[in-house]
Amino acid sequence: MKLSRLPPLSLYVHLPWCIRKCPYCDFNSHEQRGEIPEGEYVDALVADLEASLPDVWGRRLHTMFLGGGTPSLFAPESIERLVTAVRTRMSVDPGTEITMEANPGTFEMERFRGFRAAGVNRLSIGVQSFDDAKLAALGRVHGAGEARRALEAALAIFPRVNADLMYALPGQRLEEAVADVREAVAHGVTHVSAYHLALEPDTHFARFPPQLPSDDESADMQEAIEEELAGAGFEHYETSAFARPGERALHNVNYWTFGDYVGLGAGAHGKISFRDRITRTERARKPVTYMREALAGEAHRAVRVVSEGELPFEFMLNALRLVGGFPAALFEERTGLSIQALSRELGEAESAGLIERDATHIRPTRRGERFLNDLTALFLPGERAARRTIPISTSPPGTARHS
Ligand code: SF4
């Protein structure tokens, strides 16, 4: 393979601790027991960054994302040390998007100001719902009042604020799902991420499933949420993402357009392109193991070259999440492969009414959006395509689904 040019480069940093594990969460998050070893963890991240730099020499940083876990459990001083370490070691423009996830449960006005002073310019708040009963059913540590106060505080301090919401919650009615969205919009957020609650394997909810709305009810909720946000001037640009004009999450758009990202922190994944290959990296999931390895200069242990056979599926898994689709030329630019090699799969998808395309552009239809798993499965390499379904939850790390 040969890439004509390298894609934009982002940085994802995983801060893996939470106050309590939510029963639906399949992220690499760990309940905080005692003090978080913030100083040592930031030292490990910096060592990991330095060991990663030779792979990305000379490349400008497009975006940075501090995800978790609950990054807002870290003190502003630790976040500042981390952001400064990145700025002094990489090429970063002053206005570069730096997003941080925060939970209303750890809300402190002082901290938000400190995070802003540290250089964070976009805050993503895990609201989930403004209904106390629904938050309790989700096992969240915060209530609706804290969610409201956190949004108000964030909007007074940060120029860009995302609210993470979830719908199809236990016992939820359509009007309640829409009311949550309406309230987030009324606060003045610039971006909304609305995630369908899914029962992920190996979670408490998978073992003890709550009573959830049916598929049809969930689909109706999704449609009503989309209408509500469209009416409020939000553009629906990705499966779960809605933005006011000019407010798309550039970091996540880089994932969805198959861009590159260095992934630092426990369990973080990365994707780095070179002219002749694309690699995937992975860090140890357990924080203590990660810290030990990173401080010894060995965090980089799992590096895999993505085979040509896997590239079409990996690209489509991301790009077909974009409501507007993608230019056909982007496939070639990002994978080094010709789109012609996919003519059979694209033809099948078109016949099934899952995509529409012209000579230069490919986009999912409404049906394709609804059956995204089936659509992306068409691009699995070889015979696996016939028998495997890929859950939407295989979205890249940092695509904050529900922190
Ligand atoms: S959903 Fe978010 S807050 Fe809850 S355990 Fe997972 S990462 Fe932590």
Side-chain angles (χ1 to χ4, degrees):
M1 73 170 299
K2 190 159 175 46
L3 296 184
S4 54
R5 61 175 165 157
L6 299 178
L9 175 71
S10 292
L11 174 65
Y12 174 75
V13 183
H14 194 72
L15 305 172
W17 288 278
C18 292
I19 292 176
R20 195 168 72 202
K21 185 80 176 174
C22 299
Y24 56 86
C25 177
D26 69 340
F27 282 16
N28 185 35
S29 58
H30 301 261
E31 272 188 18
Q32 174 188 353
R33 295 202 177 89
E35 287 283 297
I36 295 175
E38 285 190 35
E40 191 185 353
Y41 194 75
V42 174
D43 287 345
L45 290 170
V46 175
D48 192 359
L49 172 65
E50 286 186 341
S52 305
L53 289 177
D55 284 346
V56 294
W57 280 136
R59 294 178 67 181
R60 182 167 293 279
L61 195 66
H62 177 63
T63 59
M64 178 171 170
F65 194 103
L66 308 176
T70 306
S72 52
L73 291 176
F74 275 57
E77 295 72 29
S78 300
I79 300 299
E80 180 166 23
R81 188 153 77 85
L82 177 60
V83 172
T84 304
V86 173
R87 284 195 184 280
T88 52
R89 287 165 179 80
M90 299 186 83
S91 177
V92 189
D93 289 335
T96 296
E97 178 185 284
I98 303 180
T99 304
M100 177 174 166
E101 291 181 334
N103 261 357
T106 55
F107 158 67
E108 273 179 285
M109 187 83 160
E110 291 300 309
R111 286 205 152 179
F112 279 13
R113 287 202 188 284
F115 296 143
R116 180 75 185 101
V120 174
N121 51 26
R122 185 172 180 275
L123 202 69
S124 178
I125 303 186
V127 171
Q128 318 313 351
S129 174
F130 293 99
D131 180 326
D132 278 326
K134 298 289 178 296
L135 289 169
L138 287 175
R140 300 291 297 184
V141 292
H142 70 269
E146 283 168 303
R148 292 185 180 107
R149 285 195 295 280
L151 276 182
E152 274 167 31
L155 283 157
I157 294 167
F158 292 88
R160 306 173 68 199
V161 175
N162 168 61
D164 273 352
L165 297 174
M166 297 179 84
Y167 66 94
L169 306 179
Q172 192 176 43
R173 289 177 291 115
L174 185 141
E175 311 80 72
E176 293 172 325
V178 174
D180 278 344
V181 170
R182 194 172 294 145
E183 178 154 359
V185 169
H187 276 283
V189 296
T190 54
H191 192 283
V192 171
S193 300
Y195 301 108
H196 182 185
L197 173 63
L199 301 184
E200 304 290 357
D202 299 325
T203 60
H204 181 81
F205 270 5
R207 286 186 289 277
F208 306 99
Q211 187 73 38
L212 297 178
S214 68
D215 286 352
D216 282 347
E217 286 168 328
S218 304
D220 289 346
M221 282 184 203
Q222 184 178 342
E223 214 160 285
I225 287 169
E226 287 174 14
E227 269 174 34
E228 181 70 27
L229 285 164
F234 281 71
E235 178 198 15
H236 182 201
Y237 68 101
E238 185 269 347
T239 308
S240 310
F242 304 80
R244 290 197 187 278
E247 293 294 343
R248 290 183 180 199
L250 300 180
H251 184 85
N252 290 347
V253 169
N254 196 33
Y255 291 142
W256 299 320
T257 50
F258 212 46
D260 279 359
Y261 50 99
V262 174
L264 305 180
H269 294 244
K271 167 185 173 270
I272 308 289
S273 302
F274 300 84
R275 292 281 174 186
D276 61 348
R277 66 192 187 284
I278 294 173
T279 60
R280 293 271 182 198
T281 64
E282 197 178 334
R283 306 295 193 251
R285 284 176 64 85
K286 279 176 103 176
V288 278
T289 313
Y290 168 74
M291 285 190 282
R292 191 181 62 238
E293 293 184 352
L295 289 168
E298 292 163 1
H300 233 80
R301 59 176 177 171
V303 181
R304 183 176 72 83
V305 175
V306 184
S307 71
E308 283 192 13
E310 294 169 294
L311 281 171
F313 172 71
E314 291 217 1
F315 178 92
M316 294 297 175
L317 184 65
N318 289 286
L320 287 170
R321 296 178 67 96
L322 292 166
V323 174
F326 58 91
L330 186 72
F331 176 79
E332 196 158 331
E333 189 180 313
R334 292 288 193 265
T335 65
L337 304 172
S338 165
I339 193 83
Q340 304 305 334
L342 296 183
S343 44
R344 184 180 60 79
E345 291 85 351
L346 289 170
E348 258 180 63
E350 195 172 35
S351 306
L354 297 170
I355 61 163
E356 52 195 16
R357 58 180 170 154
D358 57 27
T360 60
H361 205 89
I362 296 163
R363 62 178 288 171
T365 58
R366 286 292 293 173
R367 185 177 160 76
E369 283 172 32
R370 175 133 191 227
F371 298 101
L372 190 57
N373 293 350
D374 298 330
L375 172 54
T376 51
L378 289 174
F379 300 93
L380 277 166
E383 58 185 22
R384 281 184 293 157
R387 43 190 166 82
R388 232 183 107 185
T389 302
I390 296 296
I392 289 177
S393 62
T394 48
S395 56
T399 308
R401 283 187 297 119
H402 50 57
S403 188

